[in-house]
């Protein structure tokens, strides 16, 4: 069993996770012919926005990550569950 809790699973190919330490991350499927998952740990401002807006915020963030997977150097390839 994973040490993370899935808070939101979206048909837009992403999910929001809460780690054991309470920190939130978003894991997004990116790519074209070759697809892979990247993970971005939410900062304090993003965590607050997710708590306030929920799916609307995470949809916007996932779309931004899909458009530019390095996401300012913040994303890492996910090893999956």
């Amino acid at each position: 069993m994973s040490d993370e809790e899935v808070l939101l699973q979206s048909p837009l190919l992403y999910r929001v996770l809460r780690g054991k330490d309470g920190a939130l991350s978003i894991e997004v499927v990116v790519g074209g012919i070759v697809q892979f998952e990247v993970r971005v740990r939410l900062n304090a401002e993003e965590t607050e926005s997710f708590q306030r807006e929920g799916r609307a915020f995470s949809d916007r963030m996932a779309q931004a990550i899909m458009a530019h997977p390095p996401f300012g150097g913040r994303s890492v390839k996910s090893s999956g569950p």
Side-chain angles (χ1 to χ4, degrees):
M1 184 165 181
S2 175
D3 289 340
E4 298 172 308
E5 175 187 3
V6 177
L7 300 179
L8 178 66
Q9 180 116 20
S10 170
L12 290 178
L13 301 176
Y14 76 83
R15 59 191 189 153
V16 177
L17 306 162
R18 182 188 323 271
K20 260 187 159 175
D21 61 359
L24 301 184
S25 298
I26 186 167
E27 191 173 69
V28 183
V29 176
V30 298
I33 294 171
V34 176
Q35 293 188 328
F36 56 97
E37 293 176 340
V38 297
R39 183 177 290 210
V40 174
R41 189 175 176 118
L42 275 61
N43 62 30
E45 182 180 321
E46 293 160 344
T47 297
E48 185 178 304
S49 293
F50 174 73
Q51 291 170 339
R52 191 175 54 250
E53 299 176 53
R55 185 179 296 270
F57 169 78
S58 55
D59 281 355
R60 288 192 310 273
M61 187 161 182
Q63 289 169 351
I65 294 168
M66 287 174 193
H68 190 67
F71 203 63
R74 291 179 56 201
S75 73
V76 293
K77 275 194 178 182
S78 177
S79 58

